[in-house]
């Protein structure tokens, strides 16, 4: 299929941008009669415009007239602007009003998603089956139903990628956890296999929890995992394939003398879980690390073993960082300073840096730090102690937890899996019968240009899902404009886009004294206008822009003329429903001299994964529109900066389904 | 002679004061009472916390995890109450409404989803899933309340559900 280009079309239409609507009414419940009348008037006008929109809809599609579309959108949104323009509360304080109620009592803000009690003036959105079914993804790993969480023991063996995962066979909530199992030739097309391990021993009766695989030089597979015993003590257990000649690794055996590790003295019985892949020491022993905590200090314990059956606890800690709390799902691996390839977990020496990663129980985020592994003293030392493990960089600034890497020696790459939970209410999960996804597997490597962060990028095999593409070159968007990108439906997309700020305009912009002042998470999202941003794309948008998810850059010019860039994903207008998370996620992203602003976005129904500057900063969001679904989903380019125009070039592919399904031996491959 | 008197007097005073202090120590367990109060002080609603815990005798000898489990039971009973009141209203004179039906779904989700998840998470030692379940229960009650245009017939139930859930989440945070 050829690609169409809409080059050199002048798209500088003065469309008004849609600001964030009224803040949650902090005063409380009842709607004032005056606002009710105004509301009715708005609905009446809205319906008038809607009727005229429908009438003109056929004409618009036939003529493919971008001008008409944009002005219609402007007309619709003008009414919303007038209604919400009455509030003069600045965007930032609206967000503060929505803070969790626990903060005043000294409870950490980092709790999991408590909504403000007064929200959207009684607007309730009934979820119907059509909306809920749309949420299932086409090419992200998920079981056919029920709950999933952490990725477990990923490995490559005899031509198959294996993926295991925390699974509840009984419902769409966490509980009754066992190990699910699936296989794939290419990390994208998965086939479900029977459960690998269930809770059939006293030592994992209360949960067959997370673990990691180690593949020995002779090809033997060792699986270490945490069991929650019948008395809820966390222990480590050994398991291995029942039949190593079975490439599908269907059956697993638990070592008869399990558990192999109990919580050591001084460590809490429920603070001891998630053993890592082992690496070889220079003495020829295998070494693993297990996360824990001492009071509020997150720590990594170290054990050595020769046979994975008996262990020697190494004195001291591989690493510890105060005030980070319990370290879950610790991961520890080398990255090359010289080549783009991944490295086997046992590699160390010159030309190698080490990465320590933890999942913080306290805030449900995954953090990493780059540093050095001092093997002699069994210590990890971060390069930048101010951004040490748990207090510095995150793999992903959105929904991404319990992640785990493995070394894929068939392609000499290190691959990262991450659990993507739901951002909706339990009621919807129960209704739709499932909860959680896995992110698209990513390669992980050191960013040799900055030296201070990792690069993550979707595995190349995802590109095998690309169908027809549309290419758009040098689209110009003036300040405060929205430009439709005509790709047909927009629910399964792979987007690669580049942006440039008009140089002459950039030079005229006044510099700011505090270049670090912008923070995606406390900002007003894409509606908060600055001189040099926000600009980017609106994904999962409907024609009328009543629902849209901006993925954008926000640039601040410093006093030395240097630019500081943030990369964000804004859920505040992603859905008219009020029972979904409406936060903005993101962080700073390094943009080096001569680089354009670049982004890759995978849109797959209720998940949006965004990668800025080749994967220096990534944001994964869960999005639940009610209108921008199926054939009504659209894509737009936008520029809500006040002082500069931007030029964008993008290529958009429709993505095929990965047809993830149960394993059928009759179907080859 | 005066020395003997002083000593005897001192001895008598000592004898009479010691038994009462020993008596106090064995009958009252001040640490447990303090634990409930200290824990409740770190929640957003001290009164709801105290009322909920003190109505259950098991709280006197419970650790923080035990207190959290008691609160989950309180959540369950509030959810059951809420569901039966919603049912009664749906069968009553004004009949079922979309808001009431939606509320029934939300309270059902609390009972079949949040409560079992919180219970298992606390019993199994993976507290963060109990915190998210308790927060979700508070949200479900809030969404139910917001679903009524005009006056809600179950504001008291929704407030109660939300309040005990928020307290539960705060107690669970101590375990993280």
């Amino acid at each position: 299929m050829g690609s169409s280009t809409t080059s050199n079309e002048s798209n500088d239409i003065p469309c008004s941008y849609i600001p964030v609507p009224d803040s949650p009414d902090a005063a409380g419940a009842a709607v004032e009669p005056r606002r009710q009348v105004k509301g009715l008037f708005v609905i009446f006008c809205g319906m008038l415009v809607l009727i005229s929109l429908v009438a003109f809809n056929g004409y618009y599609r036939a003529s493919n007239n971008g001008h008409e579309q944009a002005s219609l959108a402007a007309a619709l949104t003008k009414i919303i602007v007038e209604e919400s323009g009455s509030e003069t509360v600045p965007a930032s304080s609206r967000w503060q009003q929505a803070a969790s109620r626990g903060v005043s009592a000294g409870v950490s803000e980092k709790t999991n998603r408590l909504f403000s009690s007064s929200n959207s003036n009684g607007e309730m959105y009934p979820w119907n089956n059509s909306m809920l079914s749309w949420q299932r993804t086409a090419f992200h790993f998920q079981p056919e139903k029920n709950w999933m969480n952490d990725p477990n023991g990923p490995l490559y063996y005899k031509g198959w990628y294996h993926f295991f995962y925390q699974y509840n066979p009984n419902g769409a909530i966490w509980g009754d956890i066992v190990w699910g199992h699936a296989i794939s030739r290419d990390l994208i097309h998965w086939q479900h296999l029977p459960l690998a391990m269930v809770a059939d021993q006293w030592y994992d009766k209360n949960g067959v929890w997370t673990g990691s695989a180690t593949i020995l030089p002779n090809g033997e597979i060792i699986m270490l995992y945490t069991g929650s015993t019948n008395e809820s003590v966390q222990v480590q257990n050994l398991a291995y394939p029942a039949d190593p000649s079975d490439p599908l690794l269907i059956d697993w055996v638990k070592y008869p003398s399990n558990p192999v590790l109990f919580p050591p003295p001084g460590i809490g019985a429920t603070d001891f879980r998630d053993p890592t892949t082992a690496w070889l020491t220079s003495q020829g022993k295998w070494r693993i690390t297990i996360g824990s905590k001492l009071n509020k200090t997150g720590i990594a314990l170290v054990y050595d073993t020769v046979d994975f059956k008996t262990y020697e606890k190494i004195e001291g800690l591989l690493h510890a960082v105060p005030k980070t709390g319990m370290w879950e799902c610790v991961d520890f691996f080398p990255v090359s300073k010289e080549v783009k390839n991944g490295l086997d977990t046992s590699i160390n020496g010159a030309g190698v840096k080490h990465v320590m990663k933890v999942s913080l129980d306290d805030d449900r985020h995954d953090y990493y730090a780059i540093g050095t592994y001092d093997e002699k003293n069994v210590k990890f030392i971060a390069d930048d102690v101010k951004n040490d493990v748990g207090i510095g960089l995150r793999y992903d600034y959105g929904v991404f937890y319990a992640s785990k890497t493995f070394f894929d020696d068939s392609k000499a790459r290190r691959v990262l899996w991450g659990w993507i939970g739901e951002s909706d209410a339990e009621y919807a999960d129960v209704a739709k019968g499932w909860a959680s996804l896995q992110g698209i597997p990513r390669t992980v490597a050191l960013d040799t240009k900055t030296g201070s962060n990792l690069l993550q990028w979707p595995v190349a095999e995802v590109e095998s899902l690309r169908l027809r593409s549309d290419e758009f070159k040098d689209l110009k968007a003036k300040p405060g404009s929205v430009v439709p990108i005509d790709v047909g439906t927009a629910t399964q997309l792979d987007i690669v886009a580049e942006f440039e700020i008009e140089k002459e305009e950039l030079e005229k912009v006044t510099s700011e004294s505090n270049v670090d002042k912008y923070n995606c998470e406390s900002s007003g999202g894409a509606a908060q206008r600055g001189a040099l941003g926000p600009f980017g794309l609106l994904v999962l948008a409907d024609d009328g822009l009543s629902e849209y998810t901006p993925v954008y850059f926000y640039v601040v010019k410093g006093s030395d003329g240097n630019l500081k860039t943030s990369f964000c994903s804004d859920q505040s207008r992603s859905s008219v429903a009020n029972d979904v998370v409406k936060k903005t996620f993101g962080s700073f992203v390094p943009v080096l001299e001569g680089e354009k602003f670049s982004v890759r976005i995978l849109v797959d129904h209720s998940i949006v994964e965004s990668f800025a500057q080749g994967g220096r900063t990534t944001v994964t969001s869960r999005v639940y529109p009610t209108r921008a679904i199926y054939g009504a989903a659209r894509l737009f380019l936008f520029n809500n900066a006040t002082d500069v125009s931007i030029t964008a070039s993008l290529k958009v592919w429709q993505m095929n389904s990965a047809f993830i399904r149960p394993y059928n031996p009759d179907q080859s491959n | 002679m005066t020395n003997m008197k002083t000593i005897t007097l001192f001895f008598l005073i000592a004898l009479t004061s010691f038994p009462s202090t020993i008596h106090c120590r064995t009958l009252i367990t001040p640490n447990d009472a303090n634990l409930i109060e200290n824990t409740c002080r770190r929640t957003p609603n001290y009164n709801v916390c105290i009322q909920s815990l003190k109505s259950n005798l098991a709280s006197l000898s419970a650790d923080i995890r035990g207190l959290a489990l008691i609160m989950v039971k309180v959540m369950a009973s509030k959810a059951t109450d809420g569901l039966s009141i919603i049912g009664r209203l749906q069968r009553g004179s004004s009949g079922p409404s979309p808001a009431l039906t939606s509320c029934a779904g939300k309270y059902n989700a609390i009972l079949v989803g949040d409560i079992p998840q919180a219970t298992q998470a606390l019993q199994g030692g993976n507290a963060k899933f109990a915190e998210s379940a308790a927060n979700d229960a508070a949200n479900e009650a809030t969404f139910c309340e917001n679903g009524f245009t005009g006056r809600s017939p179950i504001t008291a139930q929704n407030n109660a559900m939300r309040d005990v859930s928020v307290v539960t989440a705060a107690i669970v945070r101590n375990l993280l």
Side-chain angles (χ1 to χ4, degrees), chain A residues 197-198 200-201 203-204 225 238-240 252-256 258:
Chain A
M197 293 196 286
V198 296
D200 57 4
Q201 303 295 324
Y203 51 77
D204 56 23
Y225 73 96
L238 167 64
Y240 38 83
W252 289 77
V253 170
K254 295 177 185 176
Y255 174 51
N258 274 334

Side-chain angles (χ1 to χ4, degrees), chain A residues 101-102 105 107-108 110-124 147 149 173-177 206 209 228 232 234 270 273 293 296 326 328 361-364 401 419 424-428 430 578-580, chain B residues 41-45 65 102 105-106 108-110 112-114 116-117 120-129 131-132 134-136 138-140 142-150 162-163 166 169-170 173-176:
Chain A
R101 295 155 91 245
V107 176
S108 163
K110 297 178 289 185
T111 53
N112 193 16
R113 278 199 308 117
L114 194 65
F115 288 77
S116 158
S117 65
S118 38
N119 203 353
S120 78
N121 301 327
E123 189 193 327
M124 199 53 241
W147 166 280
N149 55 296
I173 58 167
W174 179 88
D176 301 341
I177 295 294
N206 274 319
W209 289 355
S228 183
S232 298
Q234 289 165 15
T270 56
R273 55 186 181 271
K293 66 170 175 172
K296 273 317 220 176
M326 173 72 189
E328 301 191 289
D361 208 14
D362 272 9
D363 67 8
R364 317 297 151 57
Y401 194 65
W419 165 40
D424 63 358
E426 186 62 51
Y427 150 75
V430 168
N578 70 347
D579 53 354
V580 297
Chain B
R41 238 172 254 128
R42 291 203 297 277
T43 70
N45 197 323
R65 195 173 68 115
S102 166
K106 287 162 174 43
N108 180 59
I110 296 175
V112 308
D114 298 324
Q117 177 170 317
Q120 207 183 117
L122 286 166
Q123 286 172 344
N126 208 324
K128 66 177 183 289
F129 291 112
E131 189 190 48
S132 58
N135 278 336
D136 181 77
N139 289 338
E140 304 284 359
T142 302
F143 299 141
C144 163
E145 186 66 12
N146 287 346
F148 293 96
T149 46
R162 189 197 60 222
D163 289 345
V166 165
R173 175 123 292 251
N174 293 308
L175 299 169
L176 290 175

Side-chain angles (χ1 to χ4, degrees), chain A residues 446-483:
Chain A
L446 183 66
D447 184 353
T448 48
K449 289 181 186 161
T450 63
S452 56
N453 55 267
L454 296 173
L455 288 175
Q456 301 161 65
W457 199 247
V459 290
E461 288 92 330
V462 78
E463 294 159 35
S464 71
L465 297 174
R466 288 174 170 173
L467 299 171
R468 71 148 225 281
S469 65
D470 292 298
E471 195 159 2
F472 305 84
K473 291 204 170 109
D474 301 327
L475 297 179
K476 202 155 160 179
K478 283 197 161 174
S481 65
V482 178
V483 179

